[in-house]
Amino acid sequence: SAVISQKPSRDICQRGTSLTIQCQVDSQVTMMFWYRQQPGQSLTLIATANQGSEATYESGFVIDKFPISRPNLTFSTLTVSNMSPEDSSIYLCSGVSGSPVDPDTQYFGPGTRLTVL
Amino acid sequence: GENVEQHPSTLSVQEGDSAVIKCTYSDSASNYFPWYKQELGKRPQLIIDIRSNVGEKKDQRIAVTLNKTAKHFSLHITETQPEDSAVYFCAASPYGNKLVFGAGTILRVKS
């Protein structure tokens, strides 16, 4: 299984500023994703982080607001730009190992709890 | 796109009883259906999954059934224990390992 860590674990930010969240996986994964989980809600996919190329965004999410990088197979960042209180949420990254034994299992990071004032 | 509906939203059972959570999906191309357990303040943890070429899978007290024709799948937990109390999410994967999640079920096991 893949062990995924995120930094920071939480932050409180002022509106109009930006925050970059880091996601580190302890082993190579084929796919990495970013999700948002609003308080008391389910998980919503923001985008697929593609290694060395632009991320693929889901409907309702755009690159200018949520720029994503994935420079290698084990690391990705998500930036929440020009934040407003509506961006207050938990942001989670995930990875899929793609191994023959475990091809589809998606492991999640612990999440970053963001509060925007 | 894929849409996953999950019921019930809350479920209270007595310790030792069984719990059943049901999900339906809309996209017949979905071929992978995991179930996650999320405790308060923690990350979602995979508890069981099933692929579209299998009708049922069991792991100790947990089982999942899949009906591809009806596009629904269910989680069954037997002999529930207080530590089973958590939020449970079903999900479906239409393609590319993407997951579309259900709204979640809060399970409370009363001792």
Side-chain angles (χ1 to χ4, degrees), chain A residues 13-62:
Chain A
C13 301
Q14 297 296 320
R15 70 172 67 208
T17 62
S18 298
L19 176 72
T20 295
I21 302 167
Q22 298 180 5
C23 178
Q24 180 72 55
V25 188
D26 69 338
S27 57
Q28 290 187 356
V29 292
T30 54
M31 307 291 290
M32 290 184 76
F33 302 95
W34 287 96
Y35 291 83
R36 182 172 72 184
Q37 186 175 28
Q38 295 179 310
Q41 304 294 315
S42 185
L43 289 80
T44 300
L45 180 63
I46 297 172
T48 304
N50 300 309
Q51 186 204 352
S53 64
E54 193 171 288
T56 305
Y57 291 85
E58 298 300 306
S59 176
F61 298 95
V62 295

Side-chain angles (χ1 to χ4, degrees), chain A residues 1 10 59 61 71 84 89-90 115:
Chain A
S1 65
R10 60 178 62 223
S59 176
F61 298 95
S84 66
S89 190
I90 297 171
T115 301

Side-chain angles (χ1 to χ4, degrees), chain B residues 31-106:
Chain B
N31 58 7
Y32 175 65
F33 307 91
W35 286 87
Y36 285 87
K37 175 184 180 182
Q38 188 176 34
E39 297 176 4
L40 190 63
K42 300 294 179 72
R43 73 186 79 193
Q45 297 272 14
L46 179 75
I47 56 171
I48 197 167
D49 58 10
I50 193 167
R51 292 174 178 79
S52 59
N53 59 347
V54 177
E56 183 174 359
K57 184 177 178 181
K58 189 173 182 181
D59 183 3
Q60 299 182 353
R61 296 186 297 110
I62 296 173
V64 57
T65 58
L66 171 65
N67 183 326
K68 281 171 43 180
T69 303
K71 296 200 194 79
H72 66 70
F73 55 114
S74 301
L75 177 71
H76 304 252
I77 305 174
T78 59
E79 302 172 28
T80 53
Q81 302 166 2
E83 50 266 37
D84 293 330
S85 297
V87 181
Y88 290 81
F89 293 100
C90 64
S93 181
Y95 65 94
N97 293 120
K98 295 184 181 184
L99 292 180
V100 177
F101 282 85
T105 296
I106 300 172

